[in-house]
Amino acid sequence: MIEVSAPGKLYIAGEYAVVEPGHPAIIVAVDQFITVSLEQTKNVGSITSFQYGNLPILWRRHHDQLVLDKRENPFHYILAAITVTEKYAKELNKELSLFSLTIDSELDSSNGRKYGLGSSAAVTVATVKALCQFYELEDTDELVFKLAALAHLSVKSNGSCGDVAASVYGGWIAFTTFDREWVTAQQNERKSSIKELIDKDWPLLSITPLTPPRDLRLVIGWTGSPASTSDLVDEVTNQRSRDQNAYEQFLKESKQCVNLMVQGFQNNNIGLIQEQIRTNRELLIKMSKDTGVVIETPALTRLCTVAELYHGAAKSSGAGGGDCGIVLFNRKEGLLPLMTAWEEEGITNLPLHVYNNK
Ligand code: PMV
Ligand code: MG
């Protein structure tokens, strides 16, 4: 039996801007995993999941048609990961076969409740890796990232794939996404095979591991209310035209801010990293006001205000609207009182650590 795990993720900085090709974000992999087990079968294949069994299939109405929203249900990512990886395997002259696939997730609670730790990315990555082993394909990080990213594009996910990169590479990374139009054109207009596409350099894609300063400490708070990343990204995309100049400015300033934060990592400068976390929080708050999309909810504001009282640099993580906030501290001291103060505000500390897979 093949058994493969992939970690969840948390965004540290650069959210929303990172959806735009060439704009950086900093993301970490966390030590909670999705595990995929795969076993060859004879007559019929199967996909079983302990956590996703009861999830609803979401749909919307579009010109009198019922349209499935495939972006929130992990099953669609699993199917897309299988389809893309098998297409690639076939191009390499592998013979396709039947298997049973079992998924067990630490990133979702048993009633399907999400913490916002990137379960769709992790399940895609784990499925791609399991199939690479099954079909004896060489599974370099770059190959797994590109196959998983193609699977995400095929379910019409509007994300940057930063969550996919964090799950594949582990640790702390700086990430900018690829030119999505170029990739789509390669597939549709040029009719590139998956192999040809994988072998090319993808414009603007960059994934760079970062070494955190020794005394940098990441603390995670959970608001307890789930948020839909794909809906929030849709809303920002729809509303950004309200003031196009303001959004362009946001993109420019987010890029500057995250690039300075990367310098903080390179120069072991925790003060600089913390300063940029606070700047990024302000940039997101301003963009939220300009677009009317709520990113920092009242619970996230309480999470940040309390953390700042204890000298942490805090902000919402990811799309916001609920889910988690992150705090960066210099050294270990003084964290216990924060936990107590958070509890009083209804914020739960998630005892997660950064996961390094190398
Ligand atoms: O809410 P999360 O943790 O899935 O993060 C979303 C981050 C965005 O930049 C808003 C979207 C994306 O896919 O990059
Ligand atoms: Mg989220």
Side-chain angles (χ1 to χ4, degrees):
M1 185 162 82
I2 291 168
E3 196 178 278
V4 181
S5 296
K9 65 87 192 62
L10 270 175
Y11 271 84
I12 302 297
E15 296 91 343
Y16 290 99
V18 68
V19 177
E20 219 63 32
H23 289 71
I26 294 178
I27 317 160
V28 293
V30 296
D31 60 349
Q32 292 288 299
F33 301 88
I34 286 188
T35 303
V36 165
S37 320
L38 189 155
E39 214 164 7
Q40 181 141 23
T41 52
K42 272 217 167 84
N43 300 319
V44 64
S46 66
I47 302 173
T48 316
S49 149
F50 297 114
Q51 284 81 17
Y52 305 149
N54 295 325
L55 285 190
I57 308 266
L58 300 181
W59 54 273
R60 288 161 212 269
R61 179 78 60 202
H62 190 66
H63 299 310
D64 285 348
Q65 297 289 320
L66 182 156
V67 182
L68 284 189
D69 188 343
K70 299 186 172 177
R71 302 173 309 181
E72 295 283 330
N73 189 316
F75 261 116
H76 296 294
Y77 291 90
I78 299 164
L79 292 176
I82 296 173
T83 307
V84 172
T85 313
E86 288 203 328
K87 205 166 157 200
Y88 178 68
K90 214 154 174 234
E91 287 172 12
L92 297 181
N93 297 319
K94 303 285 178 180
E95 198 180 319
L96 301 186
S97 146
L98 287 166
F99 50 83
S100 69
L101 199 82
T102 308
I103 292 125
D104 197 3
S105 170
E106 295 175 349
L107 302 177
D108 308 83
S109 63
S110 51
N111 53 9
R113 193 157 181 200
K114 286 195 196 179
Y115 301 102
L117 296 175
S119 53
S120 2
V123 80
T124 313
V125 170
T127 305
V128 167
K129 279 183 159 180
L131 285 176
C132 283
Q133 281 194 23
F134 185 54
Y135 290 120
E136 295 174 335
L137 307 168
E138 194 196 7
D139 61 347
T140 61
D141 285 349
E142 189 184 336
L143 174 71
V144 174
F145 171 82
K146 286 179 171 172
L147 289 174
L150 291 175
H152 272 234
L153 290 186
S154 79
V155 299
K156 307 260 183 293
S157 155
N158 55 8
S160 61
C161 290
D163 46 5
V164 175
S167 187
V168 174
Y169 286 78
W172 294 72
I173 57 164
F175 171 82
T176 66
T177 200
F178 49 87
D179 182 342
R180 185 187 270 249
E181 281 169 22
W182 178 88
V183 172
T184 316
Q186 295 291 317
Q187 288 181 295
N188 298 344
E189 287 150 37
R190 300 199 154 228
K191 308 277 175 237
S192 296
S193 67
I194 306 252
K195 172 144 186 7
E196 281 165 348
L197 187 49
I198 299 276
D199 288 345
K200 285 190 179 155
D201 276 337
W202 290 13
L204 298 171
L205 171 65
S206 89
I207 306 169
T208 315
L210 298 173
T211 308
R214 213 193 55 216
D215 285 340
L216 185 77
R217 210 182 135 91
L218 169 65
V219 176
I220 300 153
W222 183 50
T223 60
S225 55
S228 162
T229 299
S230 46
D231 285 351
L232 285 158
V233 173
D234 274 350
E235 278 182 56
V236 169
T237 308
N238 292 336
Q239 298 302 325
R240 59 190 268 185
S241 52
R242 275 191 191 183
D243 188 344
Q244 195 58 40
N245 287 340
Y247 202 81
E248 296 295 331
Q249 191 64 22
F250 162 72
L251 291 178
K252 201 174 124 199
E253 287 178 355
S254 174
K255 189 174 190 169
Q256 274 168 359
C257 166
V258 178
N259 282 339
L260 276 173
M261 207 182 292
V262 169
Q263 275 180 28
F265 280 83
Q266 287 160 347
N267 302 327
N268 273 310
N269 185 341
I270 295 183
L272 180 59
I273 297 172
Q274 288 180 313
E275 193 184 313
Q276 298 315 312
I277 287 287
R278 296 184 177 117
T279 302
N280 198 190
R281 180 180 177 203
E282 292 309 319
L283 292 175
L284 286 164
I285 288 174
K286 170 151 193 321
M287 187 274 271
S288 167
K289 280 202 187 110
D290 291 338
T291 54
V293 178
V294 179
I295 296 172
E296 192 177 299
T297 57
L300 284 168
T301 304
R302 293 201 302 276
L303 181 157
C304 293
T305 311
V306 173
E308 291 285 345
L309 284 179
Y310 294 93
H311 310 295
K315 64 183 274 298
S316 55
S317 168
D323 285 346
C324 298
I326 54 110
V327 193
L328 293 184
F329 281 96
N330 194 346
R331 285 198 305 275
K332 215 170 179 169
E333 286 94 309
L335 293 185
L336 230 63
L338 167 63
M339 304 301 141
T340 317
W342 263 358
E343 257 175 50
E344 283 163 14
E345 295 288 346
I347 305 296
T348 313
N349 170 238
L350 294 185
L352 306 176
H353 302 98
V354 175
Y355 170 72
N356 288 292
N357 54 358
K358 298 284 165 344

